[in-house]
Amino acid sequence: MAKRIDVNNLNVYYGNFLAVEDVSLAIEPKSVTAFIGPSGCGKSTFLRTLNRMHEVIPGARVEGEVLMDGVNLYDSNVDPVSVRRHIGMVFQRPNPFPTMSIAENVLAGMKLNNKRISRSDQDDLVESSLRGANLWEEVKDRLDKPGSSLSGGQQQRLCIARAIAIKPDVLLMDEPCSALDPISTLAIEDLIQELKSNYTIVIVTHNMQQAARVSDRTAFFNIAGTGKPGKLIEMNETTTMFSSPSEKATEDYISGRFG
Ligand SMILES: Nc1ncnc2c1ncn2[C@@H]1O[C@H](COP(=O)(O)OP(=O)(O)OP(=O)(O)O)[C@@H](O)[C@H]1O
Ligand SMILES: [Mg+2]
């Protein structure tokens, strides 16, 4: 059963700096949610709080709640490693492990989680994950070659394969297409459409057309000025956000008047 995420009154800090203030929102299961907003408004920061990757930064902390099916991910008895197994992440820059082969890269998350699986199960997992990331046909004859031997778009899909190999419920993607050409970008967008039948997806993007194409719901974040915290301005169905947003700031941003 797909799980829903509810964020309640989340404040996100780097030391004393309040980077994101008082965000409450819901992320629907098996759908695509896009986060948009100008640079520095806290999209990446907020995204990382959803799987407790924020707190690996020294001095970084949160106040408030992130509930997954009603369980607060920040409860003292919740293990952050298990949170990250259920809520996977694809970073902005493709970051395959350079010395590992393509196959080893796909299995890396599994190994980090200390899962022991048989050789034939490993082979099956490598194939199904690469198929899921729409990369299998391109790499099936060179699985033992280094991950760094792939093109940028292929590396990004390899990182997606690595993320889905651990079978997360939720996939967080921070500008997954920012380093990609238009063809690879469309391949990733197609993939996101396919993945959403199995996964809950949250994507950060600076590309308004991309948000409009791939997402079901869109959240607009904004920042009042340097040193001020980022805030959630509004969130709605993507079609509504792009046709008749409630807030002037949203309209200005999506129509390209600032940001
Ligand atoms: N590791 C960090 N330590 C201290 N401050 C940070 C850190 N990472 C980000 N910040 C600050 O937090 C604020 C939000 O940054 P964040 O990277 O979340 O913005 P963003 O919306 O993702 O921007 P962009 O669109 O440029 O990626 C910025 O003021 C940034 O300087
Ligand atoms: Mg960012």
Side-chain angles (χ1 to χ4, degrees), residues 235-256:
M235 179 172 191
N236 213 327
E237 302 289 321
T238 297
T239 47
T240 308
M241 284 289 277
F242 282 86
S243 59
S244 51
S246 309
E247 301 292 328
K248 172 121 185 358
T250 312
E251 187 176 349
D252 287 350
Y253 184 74
I254 61 183
S255 62

PDB file of all heavy atoms in Angstrom, residues 235-256:
ATOM      1  N   MET A 235       0.299  25.501  -3.002  1.00  0.00           N
ATOM      2  CA  MET A 235       0.424  24.168  -3.605  1.00  0.00           C
ATOM      3  C   MET A 235      -0.949  23.775  -4.104  1.00  0.00           C
ATOM      4  O   MET A 235      -1.952  23.996  -3.416  1.00  0.00           O
ATOM      5  CB  MET A 235       0.894  23.178  -2.561  1.00  0.00           C
ATOM      6  CG  MET A 235       1.034  21.766  -3.092  1.00  0.00           C
ATOM      7  SD  MET A 235       1.813  20.733  -1.842  1.00  0.00           S
ATOM      8  CE  MET A 235       2.145  19.279  -2.816  1.00  0.00           C
ATOM      9  N   ASN A 236      -0.983  23.219  -5.313  1.00  0.00           N
ATOM     10  CA  ASN A 236      -2.282  22.853  -5.878  1.00  0.00           C
ATOM     11  C   ASN A 236      -2.073  21.842  -7.001  1.00  0.00           C
ATOM     12  O   ASN A 236      -0.943  21.500  -7.338  1.00  0.00           O
ATOM     13  CB  ASN A 236      -3.004  24.099  -6.411  1.00  0.00           C
ATOM     14  CG  ASN A 236      -4.507  23.994  -6.269  1.00  0.00           C
ATOM     15  OD1 ASN A 236      -5.070  22.900  -6.369  1.00  0.00           O
ATOM     16  ND2 ASN A 236      -5.144  25.130  -6.027  1.00  0.00           N
ATOM     17  N   GLU A 237      -3.187  21.412  -7.602  1.00  0.00           N
ATOM     18  CA  GLU A 237      -3.095  20.611  -8.821  1.00  0.00           C
ATOM     19  C   GLU A 237      -2.263  21.410  -9.824  1.00  0.00           C
ATOM     20  O   GLU A 237      -2.440  22.633  -9.947  1.00  0.00           O
ATOM     21  CB  GLU A 237      -4.488  20.392  -9.421  1.00  0.00           C
ATOM     22  CG  GLU A 237      -5.485  19.725  -8.499  1.00  0.00           C
ATOM     23  CD  GLU A 237      -5.167  18.264  -8.268  1.00  0.00           C
ATOM     24  OE1 GLU A 237      -4.749  17.604  -9.240  1.00  0.00           O
ATOM     25  OE2 GLU A 237      -5.298  17.798  -7.131  1.00  0.00           O
ATOM     26  N   THR A 238      -1.394  20.731 -10.554  1.00  0.00           N
ATOM     27  CA  THR A 238      -0.503  21.428 -11.479  1.00  0.00           C
ATOM     28  C   THR A 238      -1.286  22.230 -12.515  1.00  0.00           C
ATOM     29  O   THR A 238      -0.937  23.376 -12.818  1.00  0.00           O
ATOM     30  CB  THR A 238       0.437  20.411 -12.159  1.00  0.00           C
ATOM     31  OG1 THR A 238       1.234  19.822 -11.137  1.00  0.00           O
ATOM     32  CG2 THR A 238       1.316  21.054 -13.200  1.00  0.00           C
ATOM     33  N   THR A 239      -2.362  21.661 -13.028  1.00  0.00           N
ATOM     34  CA  THR A 239      -3.140  22.387 -14.047  1.00  0.00           C
ATOM     35  C   THR A 239      -3.696  23.693 -13.473  1.00  0.00           C
ATOM     36  O   THR A 239      -3.693  24.729 -14.149  1.00  0.00           O
ATOM     37  CB  THR A 239      -4.301  21.521 -14.575  1.00  0.00           C
ATOM     38  OG1 THR A 239      -4.976  20.946 -13.458  1.00  0.00           O
ATOM     39  CG2 THR A 239      -3.801  20.429 -15.496  1.00  0.00           C
ATOM     40  N   THR A 240      -4.124  23.659 -12.213  1.00  0.00           N
ATOM     41  CA  THR A 240      -4.642  24.869 -11.565  1.00  0.00           C
ATOM     42  C   THR A 240      -3.519  25.871 -11.324  1.00  0.00           C
ATOM     43  O   THR A 240      -3.667  27.068 -11.581  1.00  0.00           O
ATOM     44  CB  THR A 240      -5.305  24.514 -10.223  1.00  0.00           C
ATOM     45  OG1 THR A 240      -6.252  23.478 -10.442  1.00  0.00           O
ATOM     46  CG2 THR A 240      -5.985  25.721  -9.596  1.00  0.00           C
ATOM     47  N   MET A 241      -2.377  25.357 -10.838  1.00  0.00           N
ATOM     48  CA  MET A 241      -1.241  26.246 -10.552  1.00  0.00           C
ATOM     49  C   MET A 241      -0.820  27.006 -11.800  1.00  0.00           C
ATOM     50  O   MET A 241      -0.469  28.178 -11.731  1.00  0.00           O
ATOM     51  CB  MET A 241      -0.043  25.430 -10.046  1.00  0.00           C
ATOM     52  CG  MET A 241      -0.160  24.960  -8.628  1.00  0.00           C
ATOM     53  SD  MET A 241       0.005  26.282  -7.418  1.00  0.00           S
ATOM     54  CE  MET A 241       1.789  26.398  -7.296  1.00  0.00           C
ATOM     55  N   PHE A 242      -0.832  26.317 -12.938  1.00  0.00           N
ATOM     56  CA  PHE A 242      -0.339  26.956 -14.158  1.00  0.00           C
ATOM     57  C   PHE A 242      -1.418  27.740 -14.899  1.00  0.00           C
ATOM     58  O   PHE A 242      -1.102  28.557 -15.760  1.00  0.00           O
ATOM     59  CB  PHE A 242       0.331  25.927 -15.074  1.00  0.00           C
ATOM     60  CG  PHE A 242       1.721  25.579 -14.626  1.00  0.00           C
ATOM     61  CD1 PHE A 242       1.930  24.584 -13.690  1.00  0.00           C
ATOM     62  CD2 PHE A 242       2.816  26.287 -15.103  1.00  0.00           C
ATOM     63  CE1 PHE A 242       3.218  24.276 -13.244  1.00  0.00           C
ATOM     64  CE2 PHE A 242       4.104  25.992 -14.662  1.00  0.00           C
ATOM     65  CZ  PHE A 242       4.298  24.981 -13.732  1.00  0.00           C
ATOM     66  N   SER A 243      -2.701  27.506 -14.589  1.00  0.00           N
ATOM     67  CA  SER A 243      -3.746  28.260 -15.293  1.00  0.00           C
ATOM     68  C   SER A 243      -4.308  29.386 -14.433  1.00  0.00           C
ATOM     69  O   SER A 243      -4.507  30.497 -14.903  1.00  0.00           O
ATOM     70  CB  SER A 243      -4.870  27.331 -15.747  1.00  0.00           C
ATOM     71  OG  SER A 243      -5.432  26.671 -14.633  1.00  0.00           O
ATOM     72  N   SER A 244      -4.516  29.106 -13.151  1.00  0.00           N
ATOM     73  CA  SER A 244      -5.072  30.163 -12.305  1.00  0.00           C
ATOM     74  C   SER A 244      -4.561  30.041 -10.872  1.00  0.00           C
ATOM     75  O   SER A 244      -5.279  29.616  -9.968  1.00  0.00           O
ATOM     76  CB  SER A 244      -6.601  30.091 -12.316  1.00  0.00           C
ATOM     77  OG  SER A 244      -7.032  28.775 -12.035  1.00  0.00           O
ATOM     78  N   PRO A 245      -3.272  30.421 -10.689  1.00  0.00           N
ATOM     79  CA  PRO A 245      -2.723  30.378  -9.327  1.00  0.00           C
ATOM     80  C   PRO A 245      -3.432  31.386  -8.426  1.00  0.00           C
ATOM     81  O   PRO A 245      -3.959  32.393  -8.915  1.00  0.00           O
ATOM     82  CB  PRO A 245      -1.253  30.762  -9.533  1.00  0.00           C
ATOM     83  CG  PRO A 245      -1.216  31.512 -10.814  1.00  0.00           C
ATOM     84  CD  PRO A 245      -2.309  30.939 -11.667  1.00  0.00           C
ATOM     85  N   SER A 246      -3.442  31.101  -7.110  1.00  0.00           N
ATOM     86  CA  SER A 246      -4.133  32.001  -6.174  1.00  0.00           C
ATOM     87  C   SER A 246      -3.294  33.228  -5.852  1.00  0.00           C
ATOM     88  O   SER A 246      -3.824  34.296  -5.555  1.00  0.00           O
ATOM     89  CB  SER A 246      -4.414  31.275  -4.860  1.00  0.00           C
ATOM     90  OG  SER A 246      -5.038  30.059  -5.107  1.00  0.00           O
ATOM     91  N   GLU A 247      -1.961  33.052  -5.886  1.00  0.00           N
ATOM     92  CA  GLU A 247      -1.075  34.116  -5.421  1.00  0.00           C
ATOM     93  C   GLU A 247      -0.409  34.817  -6.598  1.00  0.00           C
ATOM     94  O   GLU A 247       0.030  34.179  -7.542  1.00  0.00           O
ATOM     95  CB  GLU A 247       0.017  33.539  -4.503  1.00  0.00           C
ATOM     96  CG  GLU A 247      -0.520  32.826  -3.267  1.00  0.00           C
ATOM     97  CD  GLU A 247      -1.189  33.766  -2.288  1.00  0.00           C
ATOM     98  OE1 GLU A 247      -0.766  34.946  -2.201  1.00  0.00           O
ATOM     99  OE2 GLU A 247      -2.154  33.328  -1.624  1.00  0.00           O
ATOM    100  N   LYS A 248      -0.287  36.138  -6.465  1.00  0.00           N
ATOM    101  CA  LYS A 248       0.376  36.919  -7.507  1.00  0.00           C
ATOM    102  C   LYS A 248       1.828  36.477  -7.705  1.00  0.00           C
ATOM    103  O   LYS A 248       2.324  36.395  -8.828  1.00  0.00           O
ATOM    104  CB  LYS A 248       0.318  38.406  -7.114  1.00  0.00           C
ATOM    105  CG  LYS A 248       1.123  39.321  -8.011  1.00  0.00           C
ATOM    106  CD  LYS A 248       0.258  40.362  -8.628  1.00  0.00           C
ATOM    107  CE  LYS A 248       0.945  41.259  -9.640  1.00  0.00           C
ATOM    108  NZ  LYS A 248       2.347  41.083  -9.888  1.00  0.00           N
ATOM    109  N   ALA A 249       2.515  36.174  -6.585  1.00  0.00           N
ATOM    110  CA  ALA A 249       3.924  35.770  -6.676  1.00  0.00           C
ATOM    111  C   ALA A 249       4.070  34.497  -7.512  1.00  0.00           C
ATOM    112  O   ALA A 249       5.026  34.358  -8.278  1.00  0.00           O
ATOM    113  CB  ALA A 249       4.504  35.556  -5.283  1.00  0.00           C
ATOM    114  N   THR A 250       3.119  33.585  -7.383  1.00  0.00           N
ATOM    115  CA  THR A 250       3.171  32.351  -8.167  1.00  0.00           C
ATOM    116  C   THR A 250       3.025  32.676  -9.639  1.00  0.00           C
ATOM    117  O   THR A 250       3.775  32.188 -10.495  1.00  0.00           O
ATOM    118  CB  THR A 250       2.048  31.382  -7.750  1.00  0.00           C
ATOM    119  OG1 THR A 250       2.022  31.277  -6.328  1.00  0.00           O
ATOM    120  CG2 THR A 250       2.239  30.015  -8.372  1.00  0.00           C
ATOM    121  N   GLU A 251       2.052  33.523  -9.935  1.00  0.00           N
ATOM    122  CA  GLU A 251       1.805  33.888 -11.331  1.00  0.00           C
ATOM    123  C   GLU A 251       3.025  34.562 -11.940  1.00  0.00           C
ATOM    124  O   GLU A 251       3.434  34.243 -13.059  1.00  0.00           O
ATOM    125  CB  GLU A 251       0.581  34.813 -11.400  1.00  0.00           C
ATOM    126  CG  GLU A 251       0.163  35.088 -12.826  1.00  0.00           C
ATOM    127  CD  GLU A 251      -1.106  35.925 -12.904  1.00  0.00           C
ATOM    128  OE1 GLU A 251      -1.769  36.105 -11.868  1.00  0.00           O
ATOM    129  OE2 GLU A 251      -1.405  36.396 -14.010  1.00  0.00           O
ATOM    130  N   ASP A 252       3.626  35.485 -11.171  1.00  0.00           N
ATOM    131  CA  ASP A 252       4.823  36.177 -11.666  1.00  0.00           C
ATOM    132  C   ASP A 252       5.935  35.173 -11.948  1.00  0.00           C
ATOM    133  O   ASP A 252       6.634  35.275 -12.960  1.00  0.00           O
ATOM    134  CB  ASP A 252       5.316  37.206 -10.637  1.00  0.00           C
ATOM    135  CG  ASP A 252       4.411  38.427 -10.571  1.00  0.00           C
ATOM    136  OD1 ASP A 252       3.525  38.551 -11.440  1.00  0.00           O
ATOM    137  OD2 ASP A 252       4.590  39.243  -9.650  1.00  0.00           O
ATOM    138  N   TYR A 253       6.098  34.219 -11.043  1.00  0.00           N
ATOM    139  CA  TYR A 253       7.199  33.259 -11.210  1.00  0.00           C
ATOM    140  C   TYR A 253       6.963  32.350 -12.407  1.00  0.00           C
ATOM    141  O   TYR A 253       7.842  32.177 -13.254  1.00  0.00           O
ATOM    142  CB  TYR A 253       7.390  32.424  -9.937  1.00  0.00           C
ATOM    143  CG  TYR A 253       8.569  31.492 -10.049  1.00  0.00           C
ATOM    144  CD1 TYR A 253       9.872  31.981  -9.971  1.00  0.00           C
ATOM    145  CD2 TYR A 253       8.390  30.125 -10.283  1.00  0.00           C
ATOM    146  CE1 TYR A 253      10.973  31.148 -10.106  1.00  0.00           C
ATOM    147  CE2 TYR A 253       9.485  29.275 -10.416  1.00  0.00           C
ATOM    148  CZ  TYR A 253      10.771  29.796 -10.332  1.00  0.00           C
ATOM    149  OH  TYR A 253      11.850  28.955 -10.477  1.00  0.00           O
ATOM    150  N   ILE A 254       5.780  31.778 -12.502  1.00  0.00           N
ATOM    151  CA  ILE A 254       5.577  30.806 -13.581  1.00  0.00           C
ATOM    152  C   ILE A 254       5.480  31.478 -14.954  1.00  0.00           C
ATOM    153  O   ILE A 254       5.754  30.848 -15.968  1.00  0.00           O
ATOM    154  CB  ILE A 254       4.358  29.880 -13.345  1.00  0.00           C
ATOM    155  CG1 ILE A 254       3.077  30.660 -13.265  1.00  0.00           C
ATOM    156  CG2 ILE A 254       4.555  29.009 -12.120  1.00  0.00           C
ATOM    157  CD1 ILE A 254       1.870  29.791 -12.959  1.00  0.00           C
ATOM    158  N   SER A 255       5.143  32.756 -14.944  1.00  0.00           N
ATOM    159  CA  SER A 255       5.110  33.443 -16.242  1.00  0.00           C
ATOM    160  C   SER A 255       6.467  34.046 -16.573  1.00  0.00           C
ATOM    161  O   SER A 255       6.611  34.735 -17.580  1.00  0.00           O
ATOM    162  CB  SER A 255       4.014  34.507 -16.243  1.00  0.00           C
ATOM    163  OG  SER A 255       4.296  35.476 -15.251  1.00  0.00           O
ATOM    164  N   GLY A 256       7.469  33.818 -15.702  1.00  0.00           N
ATOM    165  CA  GLY A 256       8.826  34.228 -16.014  1.00  0.00           C
ATOM    166  C   GLY A 256       9.111  35.680 -15.694  1.00  0.00           C
ATOM    167  O   GLY A 256      10.082  36.247 -16.184  1.00  0.00           O
TER     168      GLY A 256
END
